[in-house]
Amino acid sequence: MRPSVITLAVGTAGVVLLAACGGGSTSPYGGGGGGGGGGGGGGGGHSASLTVQNYSFSPTPDTVTAGTAVTFTWAAGSVDHNVTWDTGPTSPPNSATMAAGTYSTPSLSAGTYTYHCSIHVNTNNMRGTIVVK
C-alpha cells in the first residue's frame, strides 16, 4: 500500500507543477503566456507603453495602431537615458535625458520608427523599433 501513496503524491506534484507553468507573469517584460496565449516575452509586443530600464527598451519591436501616442516610462532605479529618434515617416521630438519619469510621443502615423538612447548608443539593447499600422 505504501508505494501507491508515494506514486499518488508524485503524480499530484507533477500536475501542480504543470498547471503552474501556464500562468501569467509578474515580469515587466511580459511572460509569453501559456498554451495558445501570447504576451511579451522575446517577440516584441503590442503596447502603447514601453519601459526604459537596465540599458534596454521593452518591448521592442513594438506594434501599435496608427494615431496612437506611445509613452516611455523610466523604471525605478534607472540611470540616465533618453529617446532619440533615428527614422520614421514623421519626426517626434526627442525626449529629455532623465533617470525617472515619462515621455510621450504625439500621435504616430503609419510606418516604422527607430530610436536609440544617445548616451548608450553602442549598447545594442538601447535601440528600439516601433511599427505603426
Side-chain angles (χ1 to χ4, degrees):
M1 185 71 70
R2 186 150 176 90
S4 63
V5 171
I6 293 171
T7 303
L8 179 62
V10 170
T12 302
V15 170
V16 170
L17 287 173
L18 285 174
C21 290
S25 172
T26 58
S27 167
Y29 307 111
H46 298 282
S47 174
S49 299
L50 285 87
T51 302
V52 182
Q53 176 181 14
N54 298 332
Y55 301 95
S56 67
F57 296 105
S58 177
T60 189
D62 190 28
T63 303
V64 297
T65 304
T68 300
V70 175
T71 300
F72 293 79
T73 301
W74 276 246
S78 290
V79 298
D80 282 349
H81 295 297
N82 59 48
V83 177
T84 302
W85 297 96
D86 300 317
T87 62
T90 61
S91 297
N94 295 332
S95 76
T97 296
M98 57 185 135
T102 61
Y103 155 72
S104 294
T105 68
S107 298
L108 299 176
S109 58
T112 299
Y113 296 78
T114 59
Y115 58 91
H116 68 278
C117 170
S118 66
I119 300 167
H120 304 105
V121 70
N122 293 323
T123 304
N124 288 337
N125 285 339
M126 289 306 293
R127 296 180 180 277
T129 303
I130 299 173
V131 178
V132 182
K133 294 182 176 184

